[in-house]
Amino acid sequence: MAISPQQGSMASTSGPSSTMYSLKPFYTDDNIVLPDVMYKMKSFYGSEDVKKPDGSTGYDIDALEKRQEAILAKLSELQKEVQKLSNSCPPTLSQKRESTSGAVIDEIIEDVVITANPSSPPLSLFVLYQLLQQQLRTVGSMHVHSSVTSVPENLKVFQNGFQSNRRDYQLAITLIWKNVNHGPELMVNPHKQSPVQGEGNMARYLARLLSPGYDSVDPITATEIDVFVDIATNQLLHGNSKEKAAALRGLNSKLGSSSWLVGSDLSLADIVVWSALQQTGQAGGAPANVQKWIKACNNNFAFKLALSVMS
Amino acid sequence: MADANAENEGPLGPDGKPISKKALKKQQKQAEKAAKKEQHKQAAGGDGNEDAEKEDFAKDFYGKCPMNQSQERVERDLVPVQSLILELAEKKKDEKIWCRGRLHTSRSKGKQCFFVLRHQHFNVQAIVAVGERVSKQMVKFVAAITKESIIDVEGYVRKVDQKIESCSQQDVELHVEQVWVVSAAEPRLPVQIDDLSRPESEDDLAKVNPDTRLDNRILDLRTATSQAIFRLQGGVCRLFRDTLTAKGFTEIHTPKIISAASEGGANVFTVSYFKGSAYLAQSPQLYKQMAIAGDLDKVFTVGAVFRAEDSNTHRHLTEFVGLDVEMAFKYHYHEVMDVIGDLFVNIFKGLRDNFQTEIETINKQYKSEPFKFLEPSLRLEYPEAVKLLRANGVEMGDEDDLTTPAEKLLGRLVKQKYDTDFFMLDKYPLAVRPFYTMPDPNSTKYSNSYDMFMRGEEILSGAQRIHDPDFLSERAKVHGIDLEKIRAYIDSFRYGCPPHAGGGIGMERVTMLYLGLDNVRKTSMFPRDPKRITP
């Protein structure tokens, strides 16, 4: 608010021309610079032009360059040495097969524990065991749990588990006969999993050991196989008689057009469905195509062990 | 008041001084009371006096027996408390039977006295009531018998309408007509049997300190639980002997006084032996091997083992019973492992099938999970165990020994994976085993040795022993052992010795782990540890 000197001096324009008292202006008309910060602080980083005592500037560019070059030289030296070493000891291909199931097949044996009820032996296990033997060094052993007093002779399979040195094998299948209620259970690493229950799921796990790329290689086939595995467990094993009959009819029609359930060769679907039919005793009264297919399965070498368990 | 004061100077108290006012008043009151009592007696008069004077017609049917010095061979059938059952009540309806047991508790109510007669873990309710044959004095006598006294009773076995829940013989009751005390107990017991038998879970009732239990072991042994534990332990020994004898083993006995510390001199007890000193054997290892070199082929021994270890843990004793096995094999030490595995399976099966009542009795006081095992026994190799432990977060090297927490974790993992409390671990690293262990032929890292675990705790350590004297000397040198000290040991292999292997277990530890108890002192009758050498 600028008060003109005339008004400030409270001079009356009447009377003598000079003012009574003249005051020096106590403000100036210059632009007043308004501050934009509350408090101004010294720059944290130090002023830009610090002068060293010997007069040179702070950043010794040359010394820095020299250091960098020395480090680069050292790095190339190291690289040459590593190259030499890697030529003299080539890396071995560790046979690490980390399948989607989480079992780590490497040089130390991995033990897959399957607990099953002696009154309903999971036949698909024995078929898959024989197939696994073809691909990995597999050994099997059988135990009877203390909750079961005795098992019939035909269930005493896998007696080779003790004659051999476990260290020579990659995979062990340990079968324990015990009074489990909801189908066989599979356990590999107790802290990383809860038990895998049911024959269908056990078969799926073992199939992924057989072919680690099960899910990624051909998802369509994998899904078709899964459909049949589900039919086997839900309708053939645990379904009522209507469901069983319906499933058999479905199988019959499928087997009319091809000799195997999925694709042109034996697959997991065939194994699990065959096992379900044999366990529930439906193999005898099955329709014609199914009978033919059962015969084809029986003749396959992989089913030999399962057949011996059945008798 | 003045009169009283004047009178005060008269009568003198017993100390010669005049009695104070108060004392005089007291005396007067007492005299009045006595007079009143006399009156009462006179009035109630006839009955009271008659009672006291009444002839005790049952005088000859109760009392304290003279101390038994085998005065007379009495031909009398004592029915055990265990056999007092419904069938007996019906068979011997009007016949009196004799029974001997301890007086567990008694409760009297005027004309009746209920008491509980106990023998081992069986007890039965008995009642003595005033009647034709029983007098009031007899009931009083029975009520006054001290707890734990041994008494002989004669009476009728009668069926009861309502089951007696608190006794083991729930269907019958004894109507007693004769009671004789064979051996009286002192009135004040240091501990009550009921307190000793109480399950641990009940918080607000008295619990007995373990030290008190061990100080009064005689009373502690009378509880049903202790009876069951020691019967089961006897069963373990018997199954051990029977299984091995059936496999062609011979029982031997090895000396316990030895001249040189056999394994690692630090943990031996020294005894003065005439003019010198000797040691108490830490294990029968050396002598078992000598027996094999002496062509006994398959031996076992059951005997005391003395370890002077200053460990105050729940599973160490300074003296315990060792069940040791040694066997000469044909080609592979797994032949011996199979035998030992089968031995354990037989012991567990025998206990499971024949000692179910004992196991249940013990479970009432000390709860635990039933023991599970596989047949044939589960066998894992050390690298597998390391892999399993590493997958669960334990960091250890390939050749490291298993620490106690690692062993417990491994036990838990094996339980979750295979559902078994017993397993064998084969091929331990050579670096952590004693010098006489035979190394693995295919790898310098491992050895032909094994440990066996129950509920995650080690119970057996065994191996194939080196039977070649030159190789043995080499291995001893590698371990820095002075050859002079073990000269006798090495010499025993100089005259041809078959390849052999074996192992030893602690009987108390096996019983403790089978039952899932928490302290080995519960399974040792009179335990010895660094702080206790009595009773």
Side-chain angles (χ1 to χ4, degrees), chain B residues 228-499:
Chain B
I229 291 179
F230 291 107
R231 269 175 222 291
L232 194 132
Q233 195 169 61
V236 169
C237 254
R238 186 167 50 82
L239 288 161
F240 179 81
R241 286 197 164 102
D242 289 347
T243 314
L244 288 176
T245 311
K247 288 186 195 283
F249 279 70
T250 312
E251 180 170 4
I252 62 169
H253 293 97
T254 60
K256 307 295 175 240
I257 305 177
I258 56 180
S259 62
S262 42
E263 294 188 50
N267 301 330
V268 271
F269 287 114
T270 316
V271 289
S272 67
Y273 197 77
F274 299 108
K275 292 212 171 71
S277 54
Y279 303 96
L280 290 178
Q282 285 171 305
S283 83
Q285 171 84 18
L286 169 57
Y287 295 98
K288 278 192 299 178
Q289 291 186 257
M290 285 185 173
I292 301 289
D295 268 358
L296 277 159
D297 256 9
K298 304 189 208 180
V299 296
F300 69 94
T301 175
V302 177
V305 172
F306 303 95
R307 299 257 166 103
E309 261 181 54
D310 199 0
S311 330
N312 292 299
T313 69
H314 71 278
R315 55 188 202 161
H316 282 101
L317 293 171
T318 49
E319 178 190 350
F320 59 91
V321 175
L323 306 171
D324 285 88
V325 174
E326 198 79 18
M327 178 177 141
F329 58 83
K330 308 275 184 297
Y331 296 106
H332 201 289
Y333 76 99
H334 278 177
E335 296 166 34
V336 182
M337 267 187 96
D338 288 343
V339 167
I340 299 182
D342 196 40
L343 165 68
F344 274 109
V345 165
N346 272 327
I347 293 179
F348 299 145
K349 272 189 175 168
L351 292 177
R352 175 193 72 185
D353 297 335
N354 301 324
F355 288 87
Q356 225 16 60
T357 21
E358 275 80 0
I359 297 175
E360 281 165 15
T361 314
I362 298 167
N363 253 330
K364 281 200 204 125
Q365 186 167 358
Y366 302 115
K367 274 213 154 321
S368 74
E369 293 286 319
F371 192 82
K372 298 201 194 143
F373 56 95
L374 297 178
E375 176 188 6
S377 302
L378 180 64
R379 190 185 304 165
L380 301 175
E381 291 205 356
Y382 201 79
E384 275 179 70
V386 173
K387 184 178 171 185
L388 194 58
L389 283 171
R390 279 194 189 133
N392 284 281
V394 174
E395 288 184 16
M396 58 185 291
D398 282 342
E399 295 188 63
D400 284 349
D401 200 1
L402 292 176
T403 60
T404 316
E407 282 177 4
K408 291 218 163 88
L409 176 62
L410 183 64
R412 277 202 299 276
L413 290 170
V414 168
K415 178 82 192 270
Q416 282 178 318
K417 187 166 174 176
Y418 300 86
D419 200 21
T420 170
D421 287 310
F422 172 74
F423 67 98
M424 312 196 268
L425 195 56
D426 193 16
K427 298 282 185 214
Y428 261 68
L430 184 59
V432 303
R433 300 307 257 191
F435 71 98
Y436 51 77
T437 312
M438 183 67 85
D440 185 71
N442 303 321
S443 144
T444 48
K445 281 209 296 190
Y446 298 105
S447 61
N448 292 350
S449 67
Y450 41 88
D451 269 12
M452 301 191 189
F453 297 87
M454 274 172 75
R455 292 194 204 250
E457 295 197 28
E458 179 202 320
I459 51 153
L460 180 146
S461 211
Q464 176 182 357
R465 326 284 187 197
I466 297 177
H467 60 284
D468 181 284
D470 300 320
F471 191 50
L472 188 57
S473 312
E474 246 182 72
R475 294 292 308 159
K477 269 194 225 131
V478 165
H479 278 257
I481 298 181
D482 184 3
L483 285 178
E484 275 314 303
K485 289 223 174 104
I486 51 170
R487 171 129 325 274
Y489 180 54
I490 299 181
D491 284 345
S492 45
F493 301 111
R494 286 200 192 282
Y495 309 111
C497 179

Side-chain angles (χ1 to χ4, degrees), chain B residues 40-55:
Chain B
H40 264 268
K41 255 199 180 157
Q42 296 298 334
D47 317 355
N49 272 340
E50 268 168 37
D51 235 15
E53 291 165 357
K54 207 187 219 168
E55 194 58 30

Side-chain angles (χ1 to χ4, degrees), chain A residues 180-231:
Chain A
V180 279
N181 290 330
H182 302 290
E185 290 185 359
L186 185 144
M187 178 77 87
V188 179
N189 189 343
H191 272 210
K192 301 238 175 97
Q193 55 157 132
S194 62
V196 174
Q197 280 185 342
E199 185 174 346
N201 297 326
M202 175 198 81
R204 288 178 172 120
Y205 184 97
L206 292 172
R208 280 157 177 80
L209 280 180
L210 270 174
S211 45
Y214 188 95
D215 297 296
S216 47
V217 166
D218 189 355
I220 297 181
T221 320
T223 316
E224 287 179 9
I225 293 178
D226 266 341
V227 169
F228 281 107
V229 171
D230 276 341
I231 291 176

Side-chain angles (χ1 to χ4, degrees), chain A residues 32-242:
Chain A
I32 301 172
V33 176
L34 289 172
D36 55 8
V37 290
M38 184 97 117
Y39 305 110
K40 198 167 164 74
M41 278 175 38
K42 253 202 317 205
S43 168
F44 190 70
Y45 300 100
S47 88
E48 274 76 31
D49 31 285
V50 57
K51 280 245 185 301
K52 274 208 152 168
D54 61 353
S56 61
T57 52
Y59 297 120
D60 202 345
I61 306 288
D62 297 323
L64 219 57
E65 243 184 68
K66 280 199 195 98
R67 270 166 60 198
Q68 191 178 22
E69 274 174 18
I71 289 172
L72 283 172
K74 265 198 214 153
L75 269 175
S76 57
E77 280 289 322
L78 276 171
Q79 196 176 22
K80 283 201 200 105
E81 259 183 66
V82 170
Q83 194 65 32
K84 247 198 291 180
L85 281 171
S86 73
N87 286 335
S88 53
C89 7
T92 48
L93 192 68
S94 77
Q95 300 173 36
K96 226 176 192 231
R97 210 194 240 253
E98 188 124 19
S99 56
T100 49
S101 45
V104 179
I105 309 283
D106 53 20
E107 284 319 303
I108 301 179
I109 196 171
E110 182 78 36
D111 201 345
V112 175
V113 179
I114 295 171
T115 317
N117 200 319
S119 56
S120 52
L123 298 172
S124 47
L125 167 66
F126 303 109
V127 181
L128 288 162
Y129 175 74
Q130 283 192 272
L131 289 173
L132 278 166
Q133 275 189 314
Q134 307 250 297
Q135 285 199 15
L136 300 167
R137 301 193 298 267
T138 315
V139 68
S141 53
M142 185 255 344
H143 299 269
V144 176
H145 193 261
S146 54
S147 55
V148 173
T149 32
S150 68
V151 290
E153 282 307 309
N154 59 319
L155 291 180
K156 292 192 179 165
V157 290
F158 297 151
Q159 294 296 7
N160 63 332
F162 291 115
Q163 274 74 30
S164 27
N165 215 344
R166 272 170 88 95
R167 234 182 299 167
D168 298 333
Y169 295 91
Q170 292 168 300
L171 176 67
I173 303 279
T174 305
L175 175 61
I176 301 179
W177 295 116
K178 183 177 153 191
N179 281 331
V180 279
N181 290 330
H182 302 290
E185 290 185 359
L186 185 144
M187 178 77 87
V188 179
N189 189 343
H191 272 210
K192 301 238 175 97
Q193 55 157 132
S194 62
V196 174
Q197 280 185 342
E199 185 174 346
N201 297 326
M202 175 198 81
R204 288 178 172 120
Y205 184 97
L206 292 172
R208 280 157 177 80
L209 280 180
L210 270 174
S211 45
Y214 188 95
D215 297 296
S216 47
V217 166
D218 189 355
I220 297 181
T221 320
T223 316
E224 287 179 9
I225 293 178
D226 266 341
V227 169
F228 281 107
V229 171
D230 276 341
I231 291 176
T233 41
N234 298 340
Q235 294 175 314
L236 289 172
L237 273 178
H238 301 300
N240 59 27
S241 47
K242 252 213 236 168

